[in-house]
Amino acid sequence: MTISQTISADTGTRLVRIGVIGTGMIGTDHTRRIQEVLTGAEVVGLYDYAPANAEKLKGAHAPNAQIFDSGEALIASDDIDAVLVCSTGSTHEQYVLAAIAAGKPVFCEKPLATTAEAAKGIVDAEVKGGKRLVQVGFMRRFDQGYNMLKRTMEEGLGEPLMIHSCHRNPAVPEQYVTPMAIHDTFIHEIDTFRWLLDDDFVSAQVIFPRKTKHAHAKVADPQIVLLETSKGVRIDCEIFVNCRYGYDIQCQIVAEEGVANLPEPMAIATRKEARLGQSILTDWKDRFKSAFDAELQDFVDRVPGGTTGGPSAWDGYVAAISSDACVEAQDTGKIVDISLPARPALYD
Ligand code: ISE
């Protein structure tokens, strides 16, 4: 790596050198984002278990990137300042732990780990090191609409009492099975509700309405998750991953002095042939495009300070505990208690 490759042509400042592990859909999208949308960073390292994928991404978006033989080699390299973990969920734990051991900031796509125990191991390692190095990819905390919703509630609606919400995807592939409605889809709401309310969950229940004919055999769809928080806020969320018509995220907070709704994404309303029309997005990558940009820019901006902000390893761990309870609730049909260990001071 030559010095000239790491200096910004615009500002003359040194670019943060990023290594991306996992060059599938989200790894490719984040690399494109760093190279073409964000400022202050360059992707200089890539690793994928299928080297041809990494080569393809290098050709498309990261011409200066070195292709590494392993994620561990990428993390250890002196040419890498910070790491993006975008590989399959079951490999997140090993790479995040390696980045913590190397003292390098690491952005990890959700889930932080596939079990709560593994997520706890990451929290323990980070706490032992004494500083935040992990950011989890819960991008909704960076969405403008959710931020407006949170501000509106905090500044003038009084105490929140209830949340009515839904998470609808147009369709899901054959490999998407019932627990994924929690681990893969509802996990975003789990983090978002905790952040919106500054509260944690004490119980979860899942109920299954009549199944849509559009769902394949291994996924119960739709589902309704009911959560209760420690302050007594009641939350209902419909998860409907074969709704057909679009990607639709709704969130309404009912508070003591009023009600606030998550704004719809901006869209042109047309009037034509006696019809009022407005298109609905179909892809989550488009719906949260600006939020993805903002979360990664935040990550990049903090690397020179040697730390991270946004959703922490603790948030990833609590999301894992809470989603495990929701899956147990799916399996048992019961109301499942959620209890959390004490939060380490590092995350105050
Ligand atoms: C996907 O992984 C996401 O993160 C999306 O936000 C969610 O809507 C989708 O259901 C997941 O598969």
Side-chain angles (χ1 to χ4, degrees):
M1 191 64 43
T2 62
I3 292 294
S4 61
Q5 286 170 339
T6 63
I7 301 289
S8 160
D10 299 333
T11 61
T13 49
R14 186 179 173 284
L15 296 175
V16 169
R17 301 167 304 171
I18 304 270
V20 178
I21 298 177
T23 58
M25 186 229 312
I26 196 75
T28 296
D29 205 33
H30 284 334
T31 300
R32 174 200 58 78
R33 175 168 282 120
I34 290 168
Q35 300 292 88
E36 290 160 24
V37 183
L38 307 187
T39 56
E42 183 182 10
V43 173
V44 301
L46 296 170
Y47 166 72
D48 195 276
Y49 79 101
N53 288 347
E55 289 289 355
K56 191 170 157 214
L57 178 54
K58 176 181 162 88
H61 296 292
N64 295 332
Q66 178 185 344
I67 311 273
F68 286 86
D69 289 339
S70 71
E72 282 78 7
L74 178 149
I75 292 165
S77 167
D78 287 340
D79 292 328
I80 301 291
D81 299 317
V83 181
L84 257 56
V85 177
C86 304
S87 46
T88 187
S90 57
T91 63
H92 290 184
E93 178 192 8
Q94 79 193 68
Y95 296 134
V96 173
L97 286 174
I100 294 172
K104 294 187 181 178
V106 53
F107 175 93
C108 180
E109 267 306 327
K110 55 94 182 164
L112 176 60
T114 47
T115 64
E117 200 191 340
K120 166 87 167 48
I122 292 172
V123 164
D124 290 346
E126 196 178 41
V127 167
K128 200 166 159 215
K131 70 171 169 176
R132 275 203 53 186
L133 286 173
V134 181
Q135 178 179 340
V136 181
F138 288 132
M139 74 294 182
R140 289 191 192 180
R141 293 190 187 205
F142 293 87
D143 176 72
Q144 224 187 337
Y146 270 112
N147 277 280
M148 286 165 72
L149 180 64
K150 184 169 166 65
R151 227 176 302 127
T152 303
M153 177 192 71
E154 288 171 351
E155 287 173 3
L157 286 186
E159 293 299 325
L161 308 171
M162 292 175 279
I163 292 181
H164 307 299
S165 62
C166 76
H167 186 149
R168 300 191 186 121
N169 293 74
V172 287
E174 264 324 288
Q175 62 268 26
Y176 188 106
V177 291
T178 298
M180 287 176 73
I182 304 296
H183 283 141
D184 195 50
T185 299
F186 184 64
I187 194 145
H188 284 294
E189 270 78 15
I190 288 180
D191 182 69
T192 307
F193 297 150
R194 290 184 58 243
W195 167 77
L196 276 173
L197 299 171
D198 192 19
D199 200 356
D200 276 308
F201 310 120
V202 293
S203 75
Q205 184 183 7
V206 179
I207 53 181
F208 297 98
R210 179 181 177 185
K211 181 172 170 171
T212 168
K213 68 175 185 207
H214 296 299
H216 61 73
K218 291 190 180 148
V219 61
D221 188 45
Q223 309 181 19
I224 299 171
V225 182
L226 302 172
L227 294 169
E228 183 182 5
T229 75
S230 70
K231 294 177 193 160
V233 177
R234 290 290 188 156
I235 299 168
D236 56 87
C237 183
E238 167 205 313
I239 309 165
F240 187 13
V241 294
N242 289 282
C243 81
R244 289 300 188 260
Y245 70 84
Y247 183 66
D248 194 6
I249 302 298
Q250 307 275 336
C251 183
Q252 180 184 72
I253 300 179
V254 180
E256 281 175 330
E257 311 298 337
V259 171
N261 287 299
L262 180 70
E264 293 288 342
M266 193 167 66
I268 295 291
T270 55
R271 286 168 163 77
K272 193 180 167 195
E273 293 169 352
R275 297 183 85 87
L276 198 52
Q278 192 165 335
S279 55
I280 299 176
L281 295 169
T282 54
D283 188 334
W284 50 268
K285 289 190 289 313
D286 297 329
R287 169 65 179 83
F288 287 109
K289 195 167 178 233
S290 313
F292 281 118
D293 290 349
E295 68 168 356
L296 264 195
Q297 187 67 65
D298 191 74
F299 176 74
V300 164
D301 291 347
R302 290 174 199 261
V303 172
T307 188
T308 52
S312 65
W314 176 256
D315 296 315
Y317 173 42
V318 175
I321 295 175
S322 307
S323 60
D324 283 354
C326 292
V327 172
E328 189 183 331
Q330 283 181 327
D331 292 344
T332 60
K334 298 209 168 109
I335 298 174
V336 175
D337 289 339
I338 302 176
S339 65
L340 303 177
R343 185 172 61 189
L346 181 65
Y347 304 105
D348 286 346

